[in-house]
Amino acid sequence: MTHCHSPGVTLYPELTHKRVGVLGMPNVGKSTLFNQITGASAFVGNWPGVTVDLLEAEVELEGETVEFVDLPGIYDLEGYSEDERVVQDFFERFPVNLVLVVLNAGQIDRQIRLALQVKALGIPGILILNMVDEANHFGIDIDSQKLEEKLGMPVALVSAKYNRGILPAKHKISQVLAQSQAVTVPQDLTLKIEAHQQISPSAIAEVLEDTVKMPSNLYRTFTQRLDSLLLHPVIGLPLFFLTVYLMFEFVWEVGLPSQDIADAVTTWLQTVAIDPLTAGLPAFFRGFLVDGLYGGLATVASFVPLVVIFFFMMAIIEDSGYFSRAAYMMDSIMYRLGLDGRSFVLLIMGFGCNIPAVMGARVMRSRSLRFLTILIMPFALCSARLTVFVFIIDALFDRTWGPLVLLSLYLISFLVAFGTGFLMKGQFASKEPFVIELPPYRFPTLKQIWLRGWGELREFLRRATGFITAGVVGVWLMTNLPQGTANPIGSAGLTIALGVPLMVGMVTGGNAVKAFVQKGGAWIIVGVLGVLLLTNLPGTGDASYAVRLGEFFAPVLSPIGIPQELTIALIFGFIAKEIIVGSLATIYHLADPGAIQATLAQTISPIQAYSFMLFCLLYSPCVATLATIRSEAKSVKFTLFTVVYGLVLAWVVSFIFYQVASLF
């Protein structure tokens, strides 16, 4: 499955198993159905555009291995938006045995056209009418037998959210796959799509006649009654921001005590296991393992419960359908800023992680609007930054005011994003109209909430064993080297950065070094520049590289109130923001998070702390997000612009705040 920071799926044109594509319009429950059939845990949400990439999983169906591919939601199989091109590209490159056309049963009159397109193109398909429970609630009557006869396509009625009708649907899929179905030929399908005529309204009416009965007067639903309050032109937006504030208050009140429990567990583990096991090691290696590696990771780990609780709350609001309402209410404001309501929803989506928010901009057909939306996404206060800010706020501010301080940072992230849209709308002008379908309010299931929290925990563990560990180790080395030598890293570092690729090239004849340079060329350049910087830093060998880096950047960071000892944390924060929290243990040579917070409170003022958080909020997204921006924009120039713009903006905002606040 595709997840925040995870790599995409790998598909092969050759069919090794039967392949089934899952196709449907946005927000019809495709990913929920995909999860129910395959047992996967793809991210789902109650707003359009959640799935923006291919998700793949293999499952045994009645003794046969079947590959399922979840495709992005589209409105038209012959359209020209990015997500529609992804689907067309899939069908043009990969043969399939079957397509599941997933529609919202309650909106069958507006969505049946997609099933007719699939049939007209000659693609073997099954019509899955999802959310049939809601359709029944609205008084919509569907005769699946007659519909099946008219369409010439099997029909299954399901409620994927509540796991109803899944087994009969899987049986139908197995039956169809067991028949001698012709596999789609990508080349032929491309010609058919280009030559295909649009589905006429009369063809849709003919299929629905005598098969679907819509009530003459839909009664006033719970959604309509709630919308009259939540979409109110005067109190609608204040109610939304009040809801967000209450979410932060809950996360704060419940999350901080859970952090104390996590601290107690990591401290106990250090006492009973880490300290005794490392007692006999030399001081240098013991410091590296205990204060550097374990202390850093334990500090980051203490925030896992808080982040999981945060995502539980996000899942509840997301699945309720409230975010789509927020997009609708904000559209008139966003339009004046050169954006639209979808940009606002993606900005909120970025609270979890900037990467899916950047990828979500694919649903925008206008290139200018997509670029402007991508430009503002890094200002969304993601969960990695949340851990940094909660740690600092809890150390420097009264706990009573903590939620308000945290809310102020979220509001600033909104204001900066809106201001960027206003400043840049001339360069990224767009006339794309805003269209969004408001889904009914839905109660999220416990399974969906749990999957979201578990997914974030699993992602943390993956990151903790990867570059977060590398970052914490890097900070420790920078803080503890050189050991009495002026510049020991100079010759060793250059030897590693340049000598290893050359040696590999000599052994393999050059092909391996070429591939190595192609994949890691940027990192080699960064490594060489880093070695040259460290080698030529001012200062003496008695001071660590971290101290000398702090002195080197002091003319830039001192005017915004950031002390020299935190410079190294900001530098490694380019890789991942969680490293900032982990690096504090190394910087202050303490493994206990409570002791780190106490030391932090004694060494910097609340004004300095807030300025540091402002800079951290705005200065640059993590490396993974930058790679996603590069991939989505397909422009190195635009990617570099996002970095430079963020750095300059972060310094200016922090400078204004620190200098003005210091006057009082």
Side-chain angles (χ1 to χ4, degrees):
M1 61 169 285
T2 296
H3 192 277
C4 167
H5 298 294
S6 69
V9 301
T10 301
L11 288 172
Y12 299 97
E14 301 80 20
L15 277 175
T16 54
H17 306 292
K18 294 285 180 65
R19 178 177 290 153
V20 177
V22 183
L23 178 72
M25 292 189 178
N27 205 32
V28 297
K30 278 187 310 85
S31 297
T32 306
L33 178 74
F34 176 80
N35 288 345
Q36 293 287 12
I37 292 178
T38 65
S41 54
F43 173 47
V44 298
N46 190 13
W47 76 80
V50 171
T51 304
V52 293
D53 210 341
L54 304 180
L55 308 176
E56 182 266 348
E58 290 183 355
V59 64
E60 289 285 328
L61 280 186
E62 300 187 0
E64 184 175 16
T65 302
V66 180
E67 180 186 51
F68 283 83
V69 182
D70 188 16
L71 303 168
I74 60 169
Y75 292 99
D76 192 336
L77 197 52
E78 300 158 13
Y80 298 98
S81 69
E82 285 287 319
D83 45 353
E84 287 162 344
R85 281 302 311 160
V86 169
V87 174
Q88 291 167 12
D89 183 60
F90 169 78
F91 284 118
E92 289 169 5
R93 294 177 57 198
F94 303 101
V96 296
N97 299 87
L98 181 66
V99 169
L100 304 184
V101 185
V102 187
L103 305 183
N104 183 339
Q107 299 171 354
I108 186 173
D109 53 332
R110 284 175 281 167
Q111 300 187 358
I112 193 68
R113 184 164 54 86
L114 190 60
L116 292 173
Q117 279 186 331
V118 170
K119 179 188 174 187
L121 292 171
I123 304 174
I126 294 180
L127 175 60
I128 305 287
L129 292 176
N130 192 20
M131 306 179 192
V132 70
D133 53 321
E134 287 184 3
N136 293 335
H137 179 69
F138 296 146
I140 299 170
D141 185 23
I142 301 173
D143 188 330
S144 59
Q145 290 293 337
K146 283 187 178 179
L147 185 60
E148 193 168 303
E149 292 170 6
K150 279 199 171 185
L151 272 178
M153 180 186 294
V155 175
L157 304 179
V158 305
S159 175
K161 181 178 178 181
Y162 296 106
N163 197 22
R164 296 172 188 159
I166 299 299
L167 283 178
K170 290 167 75 172
H171 182 61
K172 281 196 175 186
I173 294 170
S174 296
Q175 281 185 319
V176 174
L177 288 175
Q179 298 168 5
S180 56
Q181 289 286 337
V183 176
T184 60
V185 180
Q187 294 81 2
D188 291 349
L189 202 58
T190 304
L191 296 175
K192 288 179 180 177
I193 290 176
E194 290 174 352
H196 182 249
Q197 300 292 320
Q198 288 290 324
I199 302 297
S200 66
S202 61
I204 295 174
E206 184 183 346
V207 170
L208 297 179
E209 187 178 7
D210 298 331
T211 59
V212 178
K213 292 181 182 177
M214 306 290 287
S216 56
N217 289 308
L218 288 173
Y219 64 89
R220 189 174 170 80
T221 63
F222 170 75
T223 291
Q224 289 171 320
R225 290 196 295 272
L226 199 55
D227 275 347
S228 64
L229 175 67
L230 299 182
L231 294 181
H232 192 278
V234 177
I235 63 172
L237 275 179
L239 279 177
F240 173 74
F241 286 109
L242 177 63
T243 303
V244 174
Y245 168 72
L246 291 177
M247 182 187 77
F248 293 147
E249 185 73 33
F250 180 84
V251 171
W252 190 267
E253 294 297 333
V254 178
L256 282 184
S258 66
Q259 181 196 348
D260 295 338
I261 296 172
D263 287 346
V265 171
T266 55
T267 302
W268 171 81
L269 184 62
Q270 179 179 346
T271 304
V272 302
I274 305 297
D275 285 343
L277 288 174
T278 57
L281 295 176
F284 180 83
F285 291 108
R286 187 177 184 281
F288 169 73
L289 292 174
V290 178
D291 297 335
L293 191 57
Y294 182 77
L297 291 180
T299 306
V300 178
S302 67
F303 283 91
V304 170
L306 185 142
V307 172
V308 170
I309 291 170
F310 172 77
F311 278 106
F312 280 164
M313 298 303 296
M314 285 288 286
I316 292 172
I317 297 180
E318 286 168 359
D319 287 350
S320 71
Y322 199 12
F323 280 167
S324 295
R325 270 76 184 174
Y328 172 77
M329 288 187 291
M330 288 295 296
D331 183 60
S332 60
I333 297 174
M334 301 298 282
Y335 176 76
R336 294 181 176 84
L337 305 173
L339 301 160
D340 73 16
R342 289 171 298 182
S343 308
F344 183 72
V345 169
L346 291 175
L347 203 57
I348 297 176
M349 194 173 170
F351 284 178
C353 177
N354 291 171
I355 289 178
V358 170
M359 295 175 69
R362 290 180 187 177
V363 298
M364 297 167 177
R365 296 166 188 247
S366 164
R367 187 172 185 270
S368 298
L369 180 59
R370 195 164 62 247
F371 270 46
L372 187 55
T373 300
I374 290 175
L375 182 63
I376 68 170
M377 283 308 114
F379 301 128
L381 200 162
C382 65
S383 60
R385 293 183 178 106
L386 177 67
T387 60
V388 179
F389 298 160
V390 169
F391 189 85
I392 294 176
I393 291 171
D394 191 39
L396 273 296
F397 297 86
D398 188 283
R399 281 201 171 186
T400 306
W401 293 97
L404 285 175
V405 176
L406 184 60
L407 180 63
S408 71
L409 291 167
Y410 277 96
L411 292 178
I412 288 172
S413 76
F414 277 127
L415 291 175
V416 170
F418 295 165
T420 297
F422 182 75
L423 285 174
M424 298 292 176
K425 66 178 182 179
Q427 284 69 41
F428 299 96
S430 168
K431 294 182 179 178
E432 181 180 338
F434 171 62
V435 179
I436 190 170
E437 189 162 328
L438 298 182
Y441 290 105
R442 299 181 179 120
F443 291 103
T445 63
L446 290 176
K447 181 180 179 182
Q448 289 171 340
I449 296 173
W450 166 251
L451 284 177
R452 184 69 189 275
W454 166 243
E456 294 305 323
L457 177 59
R458 186 172 53 187
E459 176 60 19
F460 167 79
L461 295 174
R462 191 183 71 80
R463 287 160 63 83
T465 54
F467 51 82
I468 291 178
T469 301
V472 169
V473 169
V475 172
W476 190 90
L477 291 173
M478 298 288 282
T479 309
N480 288 273
L481 290 177
Q483 291 282 310
T485 307
N487 286 306
I489 198 171
S491 57
L494 285 174
T495 301
I496 294 172
L498 300 176
V500 170
L502 289 175
M503 184 175 295
V504 173
M506 291 171 64
V507 173
T508 63
N511 290 332
V513 73
K514 183 179 178 182
F516 180 79
V517 171
Q518 284 177 340
K519 291 186 176 180
W523 288 107
I524 293 173
I525 294 172
V526 170
V528 170
L529 290 177
V531 169
L532 292 175
L533 173 65
L534 293 177
T535 306
N536 294 282
L537 275 177
T540 67
D542 295 333
S544 69
Y545 286 124
V547 171
R548 292 160 67 185
L549 274 172
E551 293 172 353
F552 181 73
F553 285 105
V556 178
L557 297 180
S558 292
I560 61 176
I562 296 179
Q564 295 180 14
E565 57 266 30
L566 294 183
T567 302
I568 192 68
L570 285 176
I571 292 174
F572 276 84
F574 273 102
I575 302 173
K577 296 298 178 287
E578 296 97 327
I579 295 174
I580 294 177
V581 171
S583 67
L584 295 177
T586 295
I587 291 171
Y588 293 110
H589 303 288
L590 296 167
D592 177 25
I596 298 170
Q597 286 182 311
T599 305
L600 201 60
Q602 293 170 359
T603 53
I604 64 174
S605 68
I607 294 176
Q608 284 179 292
Y610 200 85
S611 179
F612 178 82
M613 290 190 289
L614 282 177
F615 191 82
C616 185
L617 171 65
L618 305 175
Y619 79 119
S620 174
C622 66
V623 169
T625 301
L626 286 175
T628 305
I629 292 174
R630 165 69 181 86
S631 172
E632 294 296 311
K634 298 178 176 60
S635 169
V636 174
K637 183 179 177 182
F638 178 77
T639 307
L640 291 175
F641 175 72
T642 61
V643 175
V644 174
Y645 178 74
L647 277 170
V648 172
L649 190 65
W651 191 89
V652 171
V653 171
S654 298
F655 177 80
I656 293 173
F657 167 79
Y658 181 71
Q659 295 298 329
V660 172
S662 298
L663 297 176
F664 299 95

